């Protein structure tokens, strides 16, 4: 292909973007993918969501949302306007001009990156890759993934990056449950393999998202995302350690944080809690550690923060033990009521939730575990399915210890404080109460 044809390929894509005739596919319709398909469809594109999970595809096609931040009415509206459709048939990629990958990037059993989902999505794209396509990867991953893993696979078709197809990395920054920031108004980083890749990806995203931040390479984009999440993991690790320190000093960590937060510069408020959860903060820093191990470098901050954060469920169980001790009771035979099992407030995600670790530890100690979480009707713990119990006065009064694990906003704190025998509060929701039967971390 000569230079003038290269320009026309790029120009054609730019024209399709500006006319909204560009067809967009999103692979992986989870917490990231589903909001993204609606964002592009709302911007006027015809969007196809692709997922291997038949159940999700069927539900989405019926206009039934399974992600709390996306109303079913929005899905139905966009489907009715023929802006949105869902499939598990990858041959739909033949008709797409842009393909955006939002598949999971978890850790494997040995806590190493598990890129199997990215690899399998890349294989499927490769089978349908054609000239004049923009491919972007959004899944959080270690620096080098786009260049070293995705690119060679796609170029093995004989098509050339920056000439026939355009490849970029653009990390998703979605914050489930955040009422102020969604995909549309969160600035989006874009780093392409070539400058044309960056330009096309930037133009594509800028037609649906308010602010785009182009960077010099895919590696910069990949590393920026991991820096953001490592920054959170390390600062949460620090404040969790400060919580343990304050406990030893006999002072309230919450008072200390409130006081420090009055400094108008140079301090950023992070809060302690029962441990890290979700698909991102506890996982992503390990992608960086793993990559750096291959370069013979030990990422010490990540290691230390992980050590502290993963010890927090033990710390909570220690506090539950203190609460039981005060009542002359042991773990064995006591009923412990967990309020909230989602990894953070007002969402339904229990992935990596510290509640699961706390439950596991209580189970080993032979306590009876009961939980309430209106966002999580059931969960599986060691092959056993537990169901959320209605939060009644009787339930509160029968529990030997009530543990606030997630600070969902629907909890009526004054009522809980009045009726619970003993409370372990991991989020300071009982701020202002000086009752002797409340232990805070
Ligand atoms: N959840 C968040 O808050 C968040 C925020 C920013 C970034 N991320 C990153 O975004 C990526 C996706 O996360 P998520 O939370 O949306 O995951 P998720 O598990 O909610 O959704 C992923 C979807 O991909 C589908 N899938 C897996 N393999 C597939 C394949 N080969 N082809 C088609 N579909 C496939 C799954 O069935 C699932 O529906 C991860 O890398 C994550 O780290 C997540």
């Amino acid at each position: 292909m000569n230079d003038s044809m290269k320009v026309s390929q790029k120009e054609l894509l730019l024209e399709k973007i500006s006319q909204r005739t560009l067809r967009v596919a999103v692979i992986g319709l989870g917490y990231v993918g589903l909001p993204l398909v609606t964002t592009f469809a709302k911007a006027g594109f015809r969007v196809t969501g692709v997922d291997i999970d038949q159940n999700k595809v069927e539900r989405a096609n019926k206009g039934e949302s399974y992600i709390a931040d996306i109303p079913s009415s929005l899905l139905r509206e966009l489907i009715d306007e023929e802006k949105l459709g869902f499939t598990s048939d990858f041959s739909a990629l033949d008709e797409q001009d842009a393909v955006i990958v939002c598949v999971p990037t978890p850790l494997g059993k040995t806590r190493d990156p598990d890129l199997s989902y990215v690899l399998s999505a890349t294989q499927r794209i490769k089978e349908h890759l054609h000239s004049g396509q923009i491919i972007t990867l959004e899944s959080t991953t270690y620096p080098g993934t786009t260049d070293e893993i995705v690119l060679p696979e796609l170029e093995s078709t004989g098509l050339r990056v920056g000439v026939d197809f355009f490849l970029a990395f653009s990390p998703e920054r979605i914050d489930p449950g955040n009422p102020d920031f969604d995909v549309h108004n969160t600035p989006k980083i874009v780093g392409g393999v070539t400058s044309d890749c960056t330009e096309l990806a930037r133009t594509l995203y800028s037609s649906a998202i308010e602010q785009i931040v182009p960077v010099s390479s895919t590696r910069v984009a990949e590393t920026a995302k991991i820096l953001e999440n490592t920054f959170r993991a390390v600062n949460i690790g620090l404040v969790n350690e400060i919580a343990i320190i304050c406990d030893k000093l006999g002072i309230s960590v919450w008072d200390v944080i409130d006081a420090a937060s009055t400094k108008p510069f140079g301090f950023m408020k992070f809060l302690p809690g029962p441990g890290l959860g979700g698909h991102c903060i506890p996982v992503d820093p390990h992608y960086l550690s793993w990559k750096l191990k291959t370069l013979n470098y030990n990422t010490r901050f990540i290691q230390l923060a992980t050590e502290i954060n993963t010890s927090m469920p033990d710390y909570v169980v220690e506090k539950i033990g203190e609460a039981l001790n005060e009542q002359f009771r042991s773990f064995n035979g006591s009923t412990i009521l967990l309020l909230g099992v989602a990894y953070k407030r007002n969402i339904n995600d229990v992935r990596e939730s510290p509640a699961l670790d706390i439950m596991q530890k209580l189970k080993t100690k032979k306590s009876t575990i009961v939980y309430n979480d209106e966002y999580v009707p059931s969960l599986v713990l060691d092959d056993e399915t537990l169901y959320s119990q209605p939060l009644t006065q009787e339930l509160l009064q029968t529990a030997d210890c009530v543990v606030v694990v997630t600070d969902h906003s629907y909890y009526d704190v004054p009522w809980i404080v009045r009726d619970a025998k003993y409370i372990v509060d991991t989020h300071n929701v009982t701020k202002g109460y000086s009752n002797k039967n409340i232990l805070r971390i």
Side-chain angles (χ1 to χ4, degrees), residues 254 339 402 404 407 412-414 416-418 420 422-435 437-441:
W254 305 98
L339 297 186
V402 175
V404 180
D407 52 343
D412 178 353
V413 176
I416 292 166
V417 169
R418 199 190 62 214
Y422 228 102
I423 297 174
V424 170
D425 177 3
T426 68
H427 288 284
N428 202 26
V429 297
T430 57
K431 182 178 180 175
Y433 290 92
S434 53
N435 308 30
N437 63 344
I438 300 175
L439 289 178
R440 298 184 186 90
I441 67 160

Side-chain angles (χ1 to χ4, degrees), residues 75 86 379:
L75 286 188
F86 301 91
L379 62 83

